[in-house]
Amino acid sequence: MSSDDGVATAEIVDEKEAARRAFAEDFGLFWEAAGSPRMEGRILGYLLIMDAPYISSADLASVLNASAGSVSTTTRRLVEGGWVRRHAIPGDRSHYFRMENDVWGGWLAGERRFLEKQRDLMERGLELGFTDGDARQRLINGRDYMTWVISYHRKMLVDWEAAKAERDGTPTP
């Protein structure tokens, strides 16, 4: 972009928006260091601290300087993982996204669904009738570990709700 006098100009962004975008970049690097795609982290970082209740995929692409395809692919994965929710505006065909206020508790519940599927897969392996001691033991340990972790997730969600209630000075749900 250039001005009438030929001098290159950048998009004008206020300090708060510049800080929001920098946070999104830092969150993306953190997310990537943990083994996930950087674009997921950039989108999550931006959604975490944006002021608006939701944002369009086109606006996400613009503020993150990303392609529409990358934003589309990434938001689809984030919705499937329970990190982001779709938001519909009647009569508007654009895709909008938002993040729940307690995305972390929601993630914990989503992770439990993943663990349940993994437990069921271990059970299916056992039903195949593998009699080799090591294979059978690995499947039993996998199934029982998933069952144990799932039960702990339920306790963690209850404990998390109690911690939020105590922090906020509200009755425990």
Side-chain angles (χ1 to χ4, degrees), residues 14 16-17 20 46-54:
D14 67 22
K16 189 172 184 180
E17 181 61 21
R20 189 178 289 115
Y46 194 83
L47 292 175
L48 272 168
I49 62 172
M50 72 177 193
D51 292 329
Y54 51 84

Side-chain angles (χ1 to χ4, degrees), residues 31 36 40 44 77-78 80-85 99-115 153 156-157 160:
W31 203 255
S36 295
E40 283 185 7
L44 290 173
R77 275 196 317 264
L78 291 170
E80 289 168 2
W83 291 102
V84 172
R85 298 240 187 254
M99 182 179 280
E100 296 293 329
N101 286 339
D102 186 15
V103 67
W104 311 109
W107 175 80
L108 194 58
E111 184 183 40
R112 189 174 69 233
R113 285 188 298 275
F114 170 79
L115 294 169
H153 268 72
M156 288 190 329
L157 280 169
W160 171 235

Side-chain angles (χ1 to χ4, degrees), residues 26-82:
D26 289 344
F27 202 89
L29 290 171
F30 166 78
W31 203 255
E32 182 180 49
S36 295
R38 184 188 299 187
M39 181 54 75
E40 283 185 7
R42 293 175 69 210
I43 290 173
L44 290 173
Y46 194 83
L47 292 175
L48 272 168
I49 62 172
M50 72 177 193
D51 292 329
Y54 51 84
I55 188 170
S56 72
S57 57
D59 287 342
L60 267 175
S62 177
V63 299
L64 297 175
N65 194 26
S67 72
S70 177
V71 169
S72 176
T73 299
T74 303
T75 52
R76 188 177 317 113
R77 275 196 317 264
L78 291 170
V79 166
E80 289 168 2

